[in-house]
């Protein structure tokens, strides 16, 4: 219900909902991204297919689904048939690595496996997929990881940094795309609208070299996941954008956040 309300809001306000690669292509070509929103979903949960896909199709929206290759077809994750139907529907399939290990914590010799092999596995198992987008597990990266992404021909990567993405930022740092995570906090559409504005304002502050800033009334835009009680499949979802730039969204559709490996706070803007 919450996810559909967000889709309705974006559609009613003239936003075009696209994949991350579609957005990246526009930014690379210097095309306008006014009223464009890139949607992304991490981990490859099964209800990305059962819950999110029908709603995306209903609102003529496209999205990017970042899958963990070692978990395809297991338990609460999408199987090959479901991923193929995602591709048939015009969705983008990207990498969330092979194992979801935090890339900055592993021996660098394993980066080829996590980054290169995950791309190879997806493209071999799903011939329609061209893997050009990766989402860093827990948003963690460093220069060695970025170099490895470039080596394997990725066009962009998604961080946990809060904010929008414009052509200047994208062309200088395509492997450091900003995102905003929105969850059902019970505050309704007004909170969602506020995050659209604050996400863009956050990017302006960073461009001006200001790392910390006072947000309106709420203090922290996104705090630890553990602060939110989550029950039932598809209970958390969201998407985000602003009309003078782009915010890449992360939406999580797990049965229970506590079942997610490496469950912890991703980031805070304070």
């Amino acid at each position: 219900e919450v996810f559909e309300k967000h889709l309705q809001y974006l559609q009613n306000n003239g936003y075009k909902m696209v994949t991350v690669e579609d957005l990246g292509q526009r930014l690379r070509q210097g095309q306008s991204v006014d009223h464009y929103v890139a949607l992304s979903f991490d981990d490859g949960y099964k209800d990305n297919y059962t819950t999110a896909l029908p709603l995306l199709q209903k609102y003529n929206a496209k999205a990017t689904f970042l899958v963990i290759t070692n978990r395809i077809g297991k338990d609460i994750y999408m199987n090959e048939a479901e991923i193929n139907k995602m591709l048939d529907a015009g969705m983008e399939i990207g990498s969330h690595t092979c194992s979801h290990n935090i890339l900055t914590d592993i021996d660098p010799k394993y980066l080829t496996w996590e980054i290169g092999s995950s791309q190879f596995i997806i493209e071999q198992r799903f011939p329609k997929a061209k893997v050009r987008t990766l989402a860093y597990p827990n948003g963690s990266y460093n220069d060695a990881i970025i170099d490895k992404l470039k080596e394997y021909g990725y066009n962009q990567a998604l961080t946990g940094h809060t904010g929008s993405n414009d052509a200047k930022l994208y062309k200088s740092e395509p492997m450091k795309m900003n995102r905003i995570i929105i969850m059902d906090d019970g505050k309704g559409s007004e909170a969602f609208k506020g995050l659209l504005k604050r996400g863009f304002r956050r990017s302006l502050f960073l461009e001006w070299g200001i790392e910390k800033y006072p947000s309106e009334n709420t203090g922290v835009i996104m705090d630890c996941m553990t602060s939110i009680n989550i029950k039932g499949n598809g209970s958390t979802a969201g998407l985000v954008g602003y009309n003078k730039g782009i915010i890449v969204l992360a939406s999580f559709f797990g049965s229970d956040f506590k079942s997610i490996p490496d469950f912890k706070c991703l980031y805070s803007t304070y």
Side-chain angles (χ1 to χ4, degrees), residues 214-229:
S215 60
E216 293 177 357
N217 302 322
T218 56
V220 177
I221 290 178
M222 207 290 288
D223 207 339
C224 296
M225 293 180 183
T226 50
S227 67
I228 298 175
N229 184 29

Side-chain angles (χ1 to χ4, degrees), residues 166-179:
D166 58 19
K168 179 181 178 181
L169 173 65
Y170 182 85
K171 289 178 181 179
S172 64
E173 300 285 5
M175 303 304 173
K176 298 181 182 180
M177 292 189 78
N178 296 321
R179 315 172 88 178

Side-chain angles (χ1 to χ4, degrees), residues 64-65 67 83 86-87 91-95 122 129-131:
T64 296
F65 295 85
V67 300
I83 292 173
M86 287 279 195
L87 290 163
M91 306 299 161
E92 178 189 9
I93 300 297
S95 172
I122 293 169
K130 299 297 180 185
V131 179

Side-chain angles (χ1 to χ4, degrees), residues 47-120:
D47 49 7
N48 289 181
Y49 174 77
T50 59
T51 303
L53 179 61
L55 289 172
L56 291 169
Q57 291 176 310
K58 178 178 178 180
Y59 291 93
N60 194 31
K62 296 294 187 288
T64 296
F65 295 85
L66 296 309
V67 300
I68 304 164
T69 57
N70 285 355
R71 300 180 190 175
I72 294 173
K74 295 182 179 180
D75 301 322
I76 60 173
Y77 297 94
M78 290 188 288
N79 59 37
E80 288 193 6
E82 291 163 341
I83 292 173
N84 273 316
K85 289 180 180 178
M86 287 279 195
L87 290 163
D88 289 341
M91 306 299 161
E92 178 189 9
I93 300 297
S95 172
H96 202 30
T97 73
C98 287
S99 67
H100 202 269
N101 284 326
I102 309 306
L103 297 179
T104 52
D105 291 347
I106 65 175
D107 190 313
K109 68 182 180 182
Y110 295 117
L111 291 178
T112 293
W113 167 253
E114 296 287 3
I115 293 171
S117 295
S118 64
Q119 179 190 58
F120 177 81

Side-chain angles (χ1 to χ4, degrees), residues 202 211-216 218-222 267-270:
R202 170 67 171 164
E211 294 294 331
K212 295 183 179 181
Y213 71 102
S215 60
E216 293 177 357
T218 56
V220 177
I221 290 178
M222 207 290 288
Y267 67 91
S268 170
T269 57
Y270 245 60

Side-chain angles (χ1 to χ4, degrees), residues 201-214 269:
R201 188 171 67 249
R202 170 67 171 164
S203 292
L204 290 180
F205 274 91
L206 290 174
E207 185 176 335
W208 296 335
I210 301 171
E211 294 294 331
K212 295 183 179 181
Y213 71 102
T269 57

